[in-house]
Amino acid sequence: MSERETPLNSPDPADVGLRFLTVAHQARSAVDQHMATAGLSLSRTKLLQLLARHGAMHQSELAEALGRAPRSVTQTVEALERLRLITRATDPTDRRRKTVDLTDKGRSALAAGEQTGRQALRHVFGALDAGQLTDLETLLARTRVSLDDSVTPRPPALDSP
């Protein structure tokens, strides 16, 4: 039997995958809710993390790096600007572009948000013992390799009439 074949009594990889997606969504929601109590959502934290790592960026670069639509990034940037966590300035070389940068208040908020997020993750994954965490880490790494090696799936061809 090849590595990719499933024995008769084994769970279906699609069923396990769907369960994984459900648990991942629930964990993400729990972390996001926990972080919101500290004043930042997970998506806002990710934007601030990018600015902390890379320095000032154009909004279009932020959208691309986050894999989000420019309009949704604009809404997030506007909200963070109102909170004075970031500044936004017109690019001197292209007045249509806005450059976004992190403020000191934003750095402090980011540190608090990251700490709160880590606490939530420790709570969620703290239910696992050291061996289970190691097994999960191994399984996630293996799954990541499978994702990296995969080709974008194509829908099955429809039969011609």
Side-chain angles (χ1 to χ4, degrees):
M1 182 177 325
S2 78
E3 188 178 320
R4 297 240 184 222
E5 289 179 26
T6 305
L8 292 177
N9 295 332
S10 292
D12 180 346
D15 292 339
V16 173
L18 288 172
R19 188 166 181 190
F20 170 79
L21 291 174
T22 299
V23 170
H25 177 73
Q26 291 171 331
R28 182 183 175 90
S29 293
V31 170
D32 194 43
Q33 288 174 359
H34 198 75
M35 290 179 76
T37 64
L40 284 179
S41 66
L42 190 54
S43 66
R44 288 180 178 186
T45 299
K46 286 182 177 189
L47 190 147
L48 294 179
Q49 286 172 328
L50 273 173
L51 293 173
R53 236 185 341 266
H54 300 289
M57 297 175 72
H58 291 115
Q59 282 184 215
S60 59
E61 295 169 329
L62 283 169
E64 185 177 331
L66 293 167
R68 293 176 41 203
R71 181 67 194 145
S72 68
V73 170
T74 298
Q75 291 171 340
T76 302
V77 165
E78 288 171 350
L80 292 171
E81 186 178 35
R82 280 191 302 275
L83 295 170
R84 298 181 186 202
L85 302 181
I86 61 162
T87 59
R88 189 168 45 159
T90 301
D91 186 308
T93 61
D94 183 349
R95 301 197 63 73
R96 295 170 295 174
R97 293 179 70 164
K98 301 288 184 187
T99 302
V100 180
D101 203 0
L102 196 56
T103 64
D104 288 340
K105 184 177 178 181
R107 288 183 200 289
S108 296
L110 175 59
E114 287 176 331
Q115 181 179 358
T116 302
R118 291 183 71 73
Q119 288 171 346
L121 288 168
R122 282 188 185 103
H123 176 75
V124 170
F125 291 96
L128 303 176
D129 65 33
Q132 290 169 325
L133 285 170
T134 300
D135 290 346
L136 180 57
E137 178 65 29
T138 300
L139 293 168
L140 291 173
R142 175 79 172 119
T143 303
R144 180 60 190 221
V145 168
S146 178
L147 286 170
D148 291 344
D149 291 344
S150 71
V151 177
T152 304
R154 295 183 186 141
L158 300 175
D159 293 305
S160 302

